[in-house]
Amino acid sequence: MRPNHIYHVFPLGALRETEDGRDSKANTNRAKYRNICQLTALIPHLQSLRADSILLGPVFKSETHGYDVTDMYQVDPRMGNNDDLKKMVSDFHDAGFQVFFDAVWNHSSRHHFAYRDLREKGQNSTYAGWYRNPRFNTPNLCGDSFTVDCWAGFQELPAFNLRNPEVERELIHCAEFWMDEFGIDGIRIDAAEDMDREFLRHLATACHQKRGDFWMMGEVVFGDPRRWLEAGLNSVTNYQTYKSCWSSINDKNMFELAYNLNQLFDDRGGSCKGARLQLFNENHDVSRIYSILKNKADNFVQHLLFYTMPGVPTIYYGEEFGLDAIKGGCDDWNLRPSLDEIDQGIPAGQENLLAEIRRLAAIRMDCDALREGGYQQEFVHSQQLAFWRTHQNGDALVLINLQDTPVQFEIDLRNHYARTPQMNSLKNLRDLLSNDFIEISNSKITVVIPPKWGRILVPSGT
């Protein structure tokens, strides 16, 4: 079973306890944490959002933020133990959700057992070949007598040598352990763009041989997604569409988004047509979308686009409440808030966003074309975009308007339905947003797109 709507939670942030609503100890290990089983309290909320999956940020033992893993087989003791995690996964499964873990397999912390042995024994260590490009005569900035390649220049995050067969066997064993011990349904592979793609191919093969429907999504910020899909991953984080969507809204330039969607998904020649890339507005590494948008009222049309574009929409916890946070401080804990902070209440002016997201998610989940259809552009102007989501069970026409005033368009449906007999039987199109009917006359429709909103039109015979 593949995911259609994912809810993304960062447990080491979400489960922190706060003092008087303030998270003053967010970036230290002195903070108190709730047990990971407490995340099951989110189930009714996720059901109201029509989510079918939950993606957990790092949950295994680490030094600080979860991406500096010390033990890939033990739950971070700040949040409980392995039995707690098994119970949590089981409870989500019982409620009908798939559960995905964040797999930090590109690098470790300096306190991982292999790196500790390397620090103690140097070139004589059994694990001398486990880390990438060791220079034993060059001390690093952390006080070690040697240096290895690391993630993004952070020497406290030494990078595994993924071409070492022993490392490959260890990480594949870890994947199999997670599948057997916790019963998870898939993984997000952190820093996949930095990982050896031959290793990823072997990992994907092993995981899919064990379970054919195991979902594997790679974190890729830069680069052609096809390279990782061809390595066997099921999905890739779609940073291109993420950026082009809010940028087009801010600049009132829908040509940017239109170009991106055509290049990736066009039915006739998109480089990733048919692929289910991860669609997102926010995650634990980027500023909140509400903070990015120049006109905060555009948060509604941003989410209308989000729930109508190709991909697997992933909503980041707190996004549905219009939280405000900018990346760029001394750490990213403001992007990874405690659920206590979210429970303080919906920010002023965002009272309707949650209801609108619930409505849009339901529309998408109930429409085959929006959920899993193809893509064809109808037209693009600086502040308007129209595209079809194509599906054998019926196409959907999405129309977006960024202007503060309504706009009217006449659309000749023969341009789209020219090669299908469906045109002869069509009488009306129904708007899934307003439930209005648009009459078809001489194979054309005249449609008004509301200001800073849109329409989702599907065939109706009545």
Side-chain angles (χ1 to χ4, degrees):
M1 180 178 175
R2 60 188 186 181
N4 290 300
H5 189 203
I6 302 172
Y7 194 81
H8 181 190
V9 179
F10 197 86
L12 282 170
L15 294 172
R16 286 194 312 269
E17 293 185 356
T18 61
E19 299 176 357
D20 301 323
R22 295 173 299 165
D23 199 8
S24 59
K25 298 179 180 177
N27 61 347
T28 77
N29 288 332
R30 294 176 295 167
K32 294 180 180 180
Y33 290 80
R34 293 183 174 87
N35 188 279
I36 197 161
C37 287
Q38 294 296 311
L39 290 178
T40 59
L42 291 170
I43 287 175
H45 177 59
L46 271 59
Q47 290 171 330
S48 78
L49 293 170
R50 296 288 299 275
D52 61 13
S53 308
I54 183 168
L55 167 62
L56 302 178
V59 295
F60 292 95
K61 190 175 181 181
S62 72
E63 288 297 298
T64 55
H65 45 61
Y67 290 105
D68 48 353
V69 180
T70 62
D71 190 333
M72 300 175 182
Y73 298 90
Q74 296 295 322
V75 170
D76 195 304
R78 289 174 287 183
M79 300 184 293
N81 57 39
N82 284 14
D83 287 338
D84 296 324
L85 184 58
K86 283 190 282 187
K87 177 68 166 56
M88 188 219 72
V89 173
S90 177
D91 287 347
F92 271 102
H93 281 167
D94 289 345
F97 292 89
Q98 298 178 87
V99 180
F100 307 138
F101 284 179
D102 206 336
V104 188
W105 293 336
N106 175 69
H107 52 268
S108 73
S109 83
R110 293 170 56 250
H111 297 278
H112 183 273
F113 75 87
Y115 196 86
R116 283 203 318 267
D117 194 83
L118 189 57
R119 290 167 62 190
E120 293 172 5
K121 301 174 184 176
Q123 297 184 63
N124 296 321
S125 170
T126 304
Y127 306 102
W130 273 46
Y131 290 89
R132 198 182 307 161
N133 191 21
R135 283 87 77 195
F136 287 103
N137 296 320
T138 305
N140 68 11
L141 299 177
C142 298
D144 302 326
S145 63
F146 59 92
T147 299
V148 299
D149 289 352
C150 53
W151 177 79
F154 294 98
Q155 295 191 353
E156 61 270 28
L157 299 176
F160 285 119
N161 176 12
L162 299 176
R163 296 186 177 183
N164 183 323
E166 293 180 358
V167 175
E168 180 178 295
R169 283 195 295 271
E170 168 67 15
L171 296 178
I172 289 177
H173 174 265
C174 182
E176 293 171 340
F177 175 83
W178 289 2
M179 296 166 78
D180 291 336
E181 183 74 2
F182 304 107
I184 60 168
D185 306 285
I187 53 176
R188 169 197 179 270
I189 304 174
D190 181 63
E193 69 179 32
D194 294 328
M195 301 174 79
D196 181 77
R197 277 191 294 280
E198 194 62 24
F199 162 79
L200 291 175
R201 191 183 309 277
H202 295 166
L203 174 68
T205 298
C207 289
H208 289 144
Q209 284 178 345
K210 187 172 180 66
R211 181 174 167 181
D213 63 351
F214 194 70
W215 184 257
M216 305 181 71
M217 180 178 69
E219 182 200 21
V220 175
V221 181
F222 302 105
D224 186 344
R226 288 177 300 179
R227 300 167 68 189
W228 288 270
L229 297 174
E230 290 167 358
L233 302 188
N234 302 98
S235 185
V236 173
T237 52
N238 188 356
Y239 270 86
Q240 297 176 37
T241 300
Y242 153 75
K243 191 271 176 184
S244 62
C245 188
W246 60 256
S247 177
S248 293
I249 292 174
N250 275 348
D251 295 343
K252 294 181 170 46
N253 175 22
M254 296 301 283
F255 288 97
E256 179 182 353
L257 178 59
Y259 176 86
N260 170 261
L261 293 175
N262 281 333
Q263 186 261 333
L264 287 177
F265 300 115
D266 178 71
D267 286 345
R268 293 172 290 270
S271 62
C272 294
K273 64 179 181 179
R276 293 171 58 80
L277 305 186
Q278 187 208 26
L279 185 65
F280 65 95
N281 292 317
E282 301 177 1
N283 61 38
H284 60 288
D285 284 330
V286 301
S287 297
R288 293 282 184 175
I289 193 64
Y290 187 69
S291 304
I292 292 174
L293 293 171
K294 294 178 181 178
N295 185 337
K296 305 308 180 187
D298 286 334
N299 208 1
F300 290 87
V301 73
Q302 169 84 25
H303 281 88
L304 175 56
L305 276 164
F306 178 69
Y307 281 107
T308 54
M309 294 187 296
V312 182
T314 303
I315 189 166
Y316 184 57
Y317 78 117
E319 175 183 341
E320 67 271 37
F321 301 117
L323 294 194
D324 204 350
I326 295 289
K327 181 180 176 64
C330 61
D331 56 50
D332 288 329
W333 287 111
N334 64 323
L335 307 176
R336 308 165 185 182
S338 167
L339 291 175
D340 291 345
E341 298 172 271
I342 296 176
D343 286 344
Q344 297 302 309
I346 300 175
Q350 293 302 308
E351 289 80 4
N352 295 324
L353 181 61
L354 174 60
E356 206 59 73
I357 286 178
R358 284 173 171 161
R359 184 165 74 109
L360 291 171
I363 288 172
R364 182 186 180 94
M365 292 295 282
D366 291 337
C367 178
D368 293 339
L370 295 179
R371 192 176 62 253
E372 55 189 27
Y375 178 87
Q376 290 178 11
Q377 181 179 296
E378 174 65 26
F379 65 76
V380 59
H381 300 284
S382 59
Q383 296 192 65
Q384 289 81 36
L385 175 64
F387 56 85
W388 293 88
R389 299 297 312 282
T390 56
H391 194 275
Q392 61 184 4
N393 294 339
D395 298 349
L397 175 60
V398 179
L399 303 110
I400 303 294
N401 177 25
L402 299 184
Q403 288 182 201
D404 294 322
T405 56
V407 293
Q408 179 174 296
F409 287 96
E410 183 180 81
I411 299 174
D412 191 335
L413 297 179
R414 289 172 297 187
N415 295 331
H416 180 72
Y417 288 109
R419 299 182 181 181
T420 70
Q422 190 176 11
M423 186 68 249
N424 297 328
S425 62
L426 283 178
K427 299 183 182 301
N428 298 287
L429 297 179
R430 181 170 66 92
D431 183 1
L432 297 180
L433 292 169
S434 66
N435 212 32
D436 293 340
F437 288 87
I438 309 297
E439 182 181 359
I440 299 172
S441 178
N442 297 321
S443 300
K444 298 177 181 180
I445 59 171
T446 299
V447 58
V448 176
I449 313 176
K452 289 193 176 297
W453 196 232
R455 291 185 178 272
I456 304 172
L457 305 182
V458 297
S460 173
T462 59

